[in-house]
Amino acid sequence: MSQQTAPTTARRGGAIWALVITSVAGFMASLDNLVVTTALPSIREDLGGALDDLEWTVSAYTLTFAVLLMFGAALGDRFGRRRLFLAGLTVFTGASAAAAMAPGIDSLIAARAVQGAGAAVMMPLTLTLLTAAVPAAKRGTVYGIWGAVNGLAVASGPLIGGSLTEHVSWHWIFWLNVPVGLALLPLARLRLAESHGTGAPLDIPGTLLASGGLFGIVYGLVRGPADGWTDSVVLTGLLAGGALLVAFVVHGSRARNAMLPMRLFRSRAFAGINAASLLMFLGMFGSIFLLSQYMQGVLGYSPTEAGLRMLPWTGMPMLVAPVAGMLSDRIGGRPVVAAGLFLQAAGLGYLASVVTADVSYAAQLPGLIVSGIGMALYFAPAANLVMSSVRSSEQGIASGANNALREVGGALGIAIMSSIFSARGGYESAQSFVDGLRPALVTGAATVALGGLAALLIPARRTPGRIVTSAEPAPALEASTR
C-alpha cells in the first residue's frame, strides 16, 4: 500500500511540501533534546526545585522519547502514518504549551514527559512520509536536506535555548513550538498522503519488552552519575532493563509479527548503520553537553556567545549535508558516513588536545570546523542507508529503531562522559573542569571512531544507486538503479 502513495502525494503538493513539513516537525522534536540545558539556572530561579528535579526536566523528555519511538512507528504502520503523525504533533504542541505555563517544577517535568511521548510518535513517521512522497532517484538529496535540518536542531539546542533565555524568557523555549505546530497541523492534513505498513497486528508483548527494557537502561544511565552506579535502584534499572532487552531480542527472533524482526539485523547494512548511529550520538551528545558548559563556566561566555562560537560545528550541516546527500547518490552512503564519523572523531580529538582554562577561540576553531563537516557528512547518508536497508513496508520499523538507538546513545553519552568528567575533574575551578573535560572528549572521539569502523561493515553497493542487503531488496531503491 505504501508503495502507491507517492503519486497521490504529488497531486497534493509533492515532495517539496513533504520535505518542508517533515523537516520542520523533525526539527522541533530534535531541538527539544538539548534546548533546556542552558535554561536550567533560570528555571530553577523561577520554579525552584533541587538539582535532581532540574536534571529530570532534561531526562523526562529523553526517556519517553526513547522508549516509545518504536511503538510510535508501529502505530503509524498499523493505523496510518499521516493520522498518527497528526496525533503526535498535536500532543507535542499541547505539551509544549503546558510546559511554558507550568506553575511548578513537577508540572514542568510532567509536561516534558508528555512532550517526549508526542515526539516519539511524530519523529519516526517523518522519514516514512517523506520517503513515500519522493521519487527514489531523488531521495539521497532530499534526505540530505532533512538530515541537515535535524542535525542542526540537535546541535543548536543550547544556542537557541540560551538566546531565548537570555534575551526573552525561558518560557519561550517551549512557546516557540506552539505556533509552528499549529501551522503544521493543517498543512500536514492537506499536503501529506496517507500510507500504511504491512497492516500486521500490533506486537503488544514486544512493545512492552522494548519499552520496559529501554526505560530501565536509560533510567539507570541518567540516574547513575547523580545517585551512584552502585545504587540499588540504578543497578535494578540497568539489570532489569538488560534482561528485558534480551527477552525482546528472543521475542523478535521467534514472533511472527514482531515489532522489530531480528532478521533485519542479518543485513549488514541495517546492523552497521544502526551501530554507527548509536556510537555517533553517544560521542556527539556527551561532547556538546560538556563543551557548552565549558564555554560558559570556564571561558566566561554568555549562553548566546557560547552558542555563536559553536556555529562552525553546529551550523555546518546546513552547508554540507545537502552535498553529502548528492555524494551518497553517486558513490553510495557507506564511504560518506564513514568519512564523516572519522572526521567527527578527529575534531573531538583535536579539541581534547587544545582545551585549557584560557584557550583562545582561534585555537579551537579547526576542531569545531572539522567536527561540523564530519557531523554533516554523517546525517544525510545515514537516513538514506537506514531507509534503503529494509523493504518499503518495514521502513517505519527501521526508522523507529534507528531513532530509538540514537536517543539511547545520547543518554548513554551524557551519562558516561559526565561520569568520566566527575571522576577526573569537577566544577571547583577552571582547571578542574578542564582536567575532567579532556579525558571525556578523548572518550567521545574514540567512540565516534568506533562508529566509523561500524559504518565500514556496511556492504558497498554493487550497482549505482543500490545497496545490497541480506534481506529482500528494498523497493525504495529499485527506481534509482535506472
Side-chain angles (χ1 to χ4, degrees), residues 102-171:
I105 193 70
D106 291 337
S107 56
L108 175 60
I109 292 170
R112 287 283 287 166
V114 177
Q115 251 194 325
V121 174
M122 175 178 67
M123 186 64 177
L125 299 178
T126 59
L127 265 182
T128 49
L129 288 167
L130 184 59
T131 300
V134 178
K138 302 292 185 181
R139 284 176 185 150
T141 301
V142 171
Y143 287 153
I145 299 172
W146 181 91
V149 174
N150 282 273
L152 179 64
V154 170
S156 64
L159 168 61
I160 295 175
S163 298
L164 289 173
T165 299
E166 183 178 347
H167 299 295
V168 188
S169 165
W170 67 263
H171 301 82

Side-chain angles (χ1 to χ4, degrees), residues 77 101 111 123 157 182 191 298 326 364 390 405 463 481:
D77 285 349
M101 297 185 292
M123 186 64 177
L182 292 176
R191 299 294 182 177
V298 176
M326 289 186 284
Q364 302 172 63
V390 299
L405 287 171
T463 58
T481 62

Side-chain angles (χ1 to χ4, degrees), residues 353-377:
S353 71
V354 301
V355 291
T356 63
D358 58 354
V359 65
S360 68
Y361 180 64
Q364 302 172 63
L365 192 57
L368 296 172
I369 292 174
V370 171
S371 293
I373 294 173
M375 180 193 296
L377 290 176

Side-chain angles (χ1 to χ4, degrees), residues 188-458:
R189 177 66 182 84
L190 294 172
R191 299 294 182 177
L192 296 178
E194 187 60 279
S195 64
H196 296 76
T198 61
L202 287 175
D203 179 15
I204 301 299
T207 299
L208 293 175
L209 289 171
S211 298
L214 288 174
F215 180 86
I217 294 290
V218 175
Y219 180 88
L221 292 172
V222 169
R223 298 305 309 162
D227 297 342
W229 295 105
T230 59
D231 178 80
S232 60
V233 177
V234 171
L235 287 175
T236 299
L238 293 173
L239 294 174
L244 287 173
L245 288 182
V246 170
F248 174 71
V249 171
V250 174
H251 172 80
S253 302
R254 298 176 178 178
R256 181 176 181 181
N257 295 308
M259 180 175 63
L260 180 58
M262 290 299 118
R263 61 177 173 75
L264 295 179
F265 288 95
R266 292 199 296 265
S267 161
R268 284 171 52 199
F270 186 80
I273 189 56
N274 278 288
S277 296
L278 175 73
L279 294 167
M280 163 65 177
F281 270 66
L282 194 157
M284 182 189 70
F285 257 65
S287 299
I288 291 176
F289 181 76
L290 291 173
L291 283 171
S292 63
Q293 296 182 66
Y294 165 72
M295 287 191 169
Q296 294 176 63
V298 176
L299 300 183
Y301 299 127
S302 71
T304 304
E305 291 171 339
L308 288 172
R309 282 165 173 78
M310 292 181 74
L311 277 179
W313 182 8
T314 62
M316 197 62 71
M318 291 300 295
L319 300 177
V320 179
V323 178
M326 289 186 284
L327 277 176
S328 71
D329 283 342
R330 291 180 175 272
I331 65 175
R334 172 179 177 265
V336 181
V337 165
L341 291 171
F342 287 130
L343 284 174
Q344 175 81 86
L348 292 176
Y350 174 86
L351 288 171
S353 71
V354 301
V355 291
T356 63
D358 58 354
V359 65
S360 68
Y361 180 64
Q364 302 172 63
L365 192 57
L368 296 172
I369 292 174
V370 171
S371 293
I373 294 173
M375 180 193 296
L377 290 176
Y378 159 81
F379 270 116
N384 202 350
L385 286 171
V386 170
M387 301 304 281
S388 61
S389 64
V390 299
R391 292 174 285 191
S392 59
S393 61
E394 295 171 328
Q395 287 173 343
I397 298 172
S399 177
N402 185 256
N403 279 283
L405 287 171
R406 289 182 179 191
E407 292 300 313
V408 172
L412 177 63
I414 292 174
I416 290 178
M417 294 175 69
S418 294
S419 296
I420 294 171
F421 168 82
S422 299
R424 301 292 296 273
Y427 293 90
E428 293 80 13
S429 66
Q431 187 57 50
S432 177
F433 195 102
V434 170
D435 290 340
L437 175 63
R438 189 175 290 117
L441 289 178
V442 170
T443 302
T447 302
V448 177
L450 287 175
L453 294 176
L456 292 178
L457 298 176
I458 300 170

Side-chain angles (χ1 to χ4, degrees), residues 28 89-90 93-94 97 175-188:
M28 289 196 302
L89 179 58
T90 300
T93 303
W175 279 126
L176 181 66
N177 294 326
V178 176
V180 179
L182 292 176
L184 284 181
L185 283 168
L187 286 175

